[in-house]
Amino acid sequence: MTSKKVVELFYDVVSPYSWIGFEVMCRYRHAWNIELKLRPSFLGGIMKGSGNKPPGVISNKFMYMTKDLSRLSEYFDVPLQSPSDPFEAMFQKGSLSAMRFVTAVQAREKDGDKKVERVSRELWRRIWMEDKDITEPASFSEAAMKAGLSDSEIKEVLELYNSKEIKDKLKSSTQNALDHGAFGLPLVVCHVNGKPEVFFGSDRFELMAHCIGEKSVVPK
């Protein structure tokens, strides 16, 4: 078997399209000959750094996004449901603290990325399935507990997530996405023959497969 191709996934748990892309890429990591690297990032910083505007602030885009997410949820079997107040959840409350928490989980994980994968998924479930908060320490604790972290691990991450080290790590990942040309999330960077191939969004899997020489059938 040839060596695995490195694929980076930049994401933010406030982004429903990131959840779709995250789940599909996590499935592909077992079906494709790839090494998937999770890159927690801050969508707000990417929007500001790129000069982009969220689709939710443009009425036609928001209407389309609502229907589009419903179709994607059914097609990819991701249990996505809109919060009761999407604007408040996404733009007023945001995800800076949540992504610092995810970054802290990743920073202390020593072997692979199973914990950061599970914690990220539980935070998505809170906001995009259960209509719950993802901004308070108690919310992080509950998500981490459901993800299988021990009480001592959760305590350690809560003590770490507002540190300068973690803030700088999240800034660095966000800047890395911007350096790849990001204007939103998710962003997938496939490293092929020594150069990055960049894909935005959660609807480019066929092109990714073509690019890295894999089959595009989406595993369930």
Side-chain angles (χ1 to χ4, degrees):
M1 182 178 290
T2 58
S3 59
K4 292 185 175 182
K5 294 181 176 67
V6 173
V7 176
E8 299 178 277
L9 171 63
F10 295 85
Y11 68 91
D12 186 324
V13 297
V14 82
S15 160
Y17 287 102
S18 282
W19 192 11
I20 299 290
F22 176 92
E23 295 295 357
V24 174
M25 291 309 301
C26 284
R27 296 169 193 171
Y28 271 139
R29 79 192 309 177
H30 303 296
W32 288 351
N33 186 34
I34 63 173
E35 180 184 356
L36 181 64
K37 293 185 177 293
L38 301 180
R39 303 295 191 214
S41 308
F42 178 46
L43 180 57
I46 287 174
M47 300 300 283
K48 181 177 180 180
S50 65
N52 197 5
K53 292 183 178 181
V57 302
I58 301 173
S59 60
N60 281 0
K61 282 187 177 182
F62 182 77
M63 290 171 62
Y64 175 80
M65 184 178 76
T66 302
K67 185 172 183 178
D68 189 45
L69 287 171
S70 177
R71 293 183 298 211
L72 287 169
S73 172
E74 180 181 1
Y75 181 75
F76 289 114
D77 194 23
V78 176
L80 196 156
Q81 296 182 25
S82 181
S84 56
D85 189 339
F87 188 86
E88 178 188 42
M90 296 181 70
F91 308 122
Q92 293 181 352
K93 291 185 174 181
S95 60
L96 181 57
S97 293
M99 294 315 297
R100 285 174 178 169
F101 185 81
V102 172
T103 301
V105 171
Q106 187 175 59
R108 68 168 305 285
E109 189 163 9
K110 306 301 182 186
D111 184 22
D113 58 11
K114 291 298 183 185
K115 292 178 182 177
V116 73
E117 177 184 336
R118 293 197 301 261
V119 169
S120 298
R121 183 174 290 114
E122 289 300 331
L123 288 169
W124 265 306
R125 289 174 67 90
R126 286 186 68 84
I127 182 174
W128 285 104
M129 179 181 170
E130 301 168 354
D131 196 12
K132 292 182 178 178
D133 173 75
I134 61 162
T135 66
E136 298 295 333
S139 302
F140 306 151
S141 295
E142 184 176 342
M145 181 182 65
K146 288 184 176 180
L149 273 66
S150 66
D151 289 345
S152 61
E153 288 175 319
I154 294 171
K155 182 175 183 293
E156 182 180 343
V157 175
L158 286 173
E159 292 173 349
L160 181 64
Y161 85 102
N162 272 326
S163 67
K164 184 178 185 301
E165 172 195 355
I166 296 305
K167 291 178 180 178
D168 288 346
K169 280 182 180 294
L170 182 59
K171 287 179 183 177
S172 177
S173 180
T174 302
Q175 185 59 51
N176 194 5
L178 284 167
D179 291 343
H180 280 299
F183 51 87
L185 293 175
L187 189 80
V188 179
V189 182
C190 302
H191 295 270
V192 182
N193 298 325
K195 69 173 185 177
E197 297 285 351
V198 180
F199 301 90
F200 167 71
S202 55
D203 57 355
R204 295 293 185 270
F205 302 114
E206 293 87 351
L207 285 175
M208 286 182 213
H210 174 74
C211 181
I212 65 177
E214 295 283 355
K215 294 181 179 180
S216 63
V217 177
V218 179
K220 294 293 185 179

